[in-house]
Amino acid sequence: MPSKQRVDAILCSATRTPEEELARTIVPKLAARSYHLPGNNPRQDYFQNPLHMRQRFIALLGSFAFGVAITNAVFFWFASTGRDDEARVFEFNYTDGYDNSQQFTVTHGLAVLLTVGSGSNALFDRFVWTLSACACCRAGGRFESSSRVGCCGGCCQGFGRYLAVFFVVSMV
């Protein structure tokens, strides 16, 4: 005899439309950051992404704004602490294909920007992406209800996207 959960699953799947069943397959894969969905080519995977072009543009704008902000923060940190951002960490010589020798110097400011700046920018981008693509309340998500409209009567299905937009706009 099948369990009550199995019977409920069978009854719920019988009342879903094919689009809802597809969403229940795709959303958990996207939530798990599965970059390739079964049966899709790379172009189809790209267009299955839960973010629309407008949200992607807003995330890109936020990434640029955060990059400028972290660059300014590093500059002000060097200025306020009295540290020399032009002090050499190391330098190396290289030659191009025409036997021209050139020297490249890595300074403290550049080293901090390449490590702390790029690392924090990557964390910011990852946070905005995760928040924007949050699938918890969508079809197939962790907090999806068995009704057609999703959890909370469908009121919070786009909450992550709107919160990410608010967060990025506050950064700009």
Side-chain angles (χ1 to χ4, degrees), residues 20 22 25 35 38 43 51 62-63 74 103 105 116 158 170:
E20 290 173 328
L22 181 63
T25 303
Y35 297 106
R43 185 169 189 249
L51 296 182
S63 182
V74 167
Q103 185 176 11
T105 303
V116 175
S170 67

Side-chain angles (χ1 to χ4, degrees), residues 50-52 55 127-139 143 149-168:
L51 296 182
H52 300 283
Q55 282 108 8
F127 174 73
V128 167
W129 168 257
T130 302
L131 196 60
S132 296
C134 176
C136 291
C137 296
R138 296 187 189 164
F143 299 114
V149 291
C151 76
C152 308
C155 65
C156 63
Q157 288 184 355
F159 180 71
R161 277 190 268 174
Y162 297 125
L163 189 60
V165 168
F166 174 76
F167 186 66
V168 166

Side-chain angles (χ1 to χ4, degrees), residues 60-137:
L60 179 65
L61 179 67
S63 182
F64 286 147
F66 188 81
V68 169
I70 198 68
T71 302
N72 287 335
V74 167
F75 172 77
F76 286 131
W77 178 73
F78 275 109
S80 67
T81 60
R83 297 176 192 259
D84 184 16
D85 64 330
E86 294 295 322
R88 283 187 244 167
V89 175
F90 66 89
E91 60 188 21
F92 58 91
N93 295 321
Y94 64 95
T95 58
D96 58 15
Y98 301 106
D99 294 331
N100 295 329
S101 179
Q102 297 184 5
Q103 185 176 11
F104 183 75
T105 303
V106 176
T107 63
H108 282 285
L110 181 62
V112 170
L113 279 176
L114 290 178
T115 55
V116 175
S118 62
S120 60
N121 201 346
L123 289 173
F124 174 81
D125 289 345
R126 184 66 169 173
F127 174 73
V128 167
W129 168 257
T130 302
L131 196 60
S132 296
C134 176
C136 291
C137 296

